[in-house]
Amino acid sequence: MITRPAGDTVEILEKLLAPLPGRRILDIGCGRGNLLQALTQRGASVVGLDPDEAMLEVAQKLVPKAALKHGCAQLLPWGDASMHAAIFLNSLHHVPVPDMLLALEEAARVVGKGGSIVVIEPLSEGSFFDALRLIEDETEVRHAAQDAIVRAMRRGIVGESRRIEYDRIETFPDAAAFMARAVAADPSREERAEAARGKLLARFEALSEHEDGGYVLHQPIRLHHLKVPVGSKPSVNPAMFG
């Protein structure tokens, strides 16, 4: 395991999946398309999936060349070995817990033998996580995502090529910006955030580091670079065949 005090996710991905030009990369849970845009700028041929159609519309405008589809991680609408790599960026813990292992099996199917799956997940620790716990405590689902990765490795679906841990550093000019960031990540949080506004802002103030007039929070991240074993039998999702 490599531990980094700080890191840029796109730079790490670029090194792990190099060379990017011409590689077909699937972003599972692509959201607004920020990762798709970054990978496109580095020469990759990007494909995205998200269950939120509104998010897909935003992503398509941001990355017109991206091939985007509406759907879920546990039933990927692509053929076997059709991708060079698949990425879950902060998305595996949003898959229903009973389906997390299936989502990893599906990713293994579409990248095929020798293909790469990169799972990037926030851990249940750090000042950013602690500041948000008043409106959404993701402790259980984040632990479940890590457990699903372990189970996938134990079953031989994937093997771990590399693990990297680093901090995602979040900087805010003021408390209002923190509130906006918390709600933008998940609009369903808005009502809870307003109800707990006083306590949330007090916790933000107490947990933040103050640098150059701004507020800094840390979110530890764990990145798993997984490989589908060359000698393994491809996983098949029976639902693909009705």
Side-chain angles (χ1 to χ4, degrees), residues 54-220:
M55 289 288 191
L56 286 175
E57 290 181 6
V58 175
Q60 195 71 78
K61 291 178 181 178
L62 184 66
V63 193
K65 293 183 179 180
L68 306 183
K69 290 190 178 183
H70 177 255
C72 61
Q74 55 269 40
L75 185 60
L76 297 177
W78 290 281
D80 297 357
S82 56
M83 306 289 166
H84 291 104
I87 301 171
F88 291 87
L89 175 57
N90 299 333
S91 60
L92 183 59
H93 71 276
H94 290 296
V95 175
V97 172
D99 294 334
M100 287 180 179
L101 181 60
L102 179 56
L104 292 170
E105 287 181 321
E106 275 289 89
R109 179 183 64 77
V110 299
V111 302
K113 296 178 181 180
S116 288
I117 301 170
V118 181
V119 183
I120 304 165
E121 279 288 312
L123 300 177
S124 301
E125 56 189 70
S127 54
F128 184 80
F129 172 75
D130 286 338
L132 283 178
R133 290 180 74 175
L134 280 175
I135 58 173
E136 186 164 11
D137 189 344
E138 292 185 333
T139 300
E140 290 188 9
V141 292
R142 292 187 184 190
H143 286 169
Q146 296 297 322
D147 180 64
I149 295 168
V150 171
R151 286 187 290 136
M153 290 191 287
R154 286 177 177 169
R155 295 190 183 191
I157 298 165
V158 293
E160 187 169 66
S161 175
R162 197 172 186 185
R163 183 185 302 185
I164 302 173
E165 294 189 359
Y166 58 98
D167 266 358
R168 185 181 74 215
I169 299 173
E170 302 261 1
T171 304
F172 305 93
D174 51 36
F178 166 72
M179 289 285 289
R181 164 72 173 81
V183 172
D186 183 352
S188 68
R189 294 174 176 169
E190 186 170 4
E191 185 175 343
R192 297 192 299 274
E194 285 302 319
R197 186 180 185 86
K199 291 181 179 179
L200 186 61
L201 295 182
R203 179 172 288 189
F204 167 76
E205 185 71 37
L207 292 171
S208 297
E209 299 172 10
H210 298 266
E211 295 182 7
D212 299 324
Y215 297 81
V216 178
L217 295 173
H218 296 262
Q219 175 57 66

Side-chain angles (χ1 to χ4, degrees), residues 20-26 44-47 67 78 82-86 111:
L20 288 183
R23 290 177 69 83
R24 187 170 169 84
I25 299 177
L26 168 62
S45 176
V46 296
V47 181
W78 290 281
S82 56
M83 306 289 166
H84 291 104
V111 302

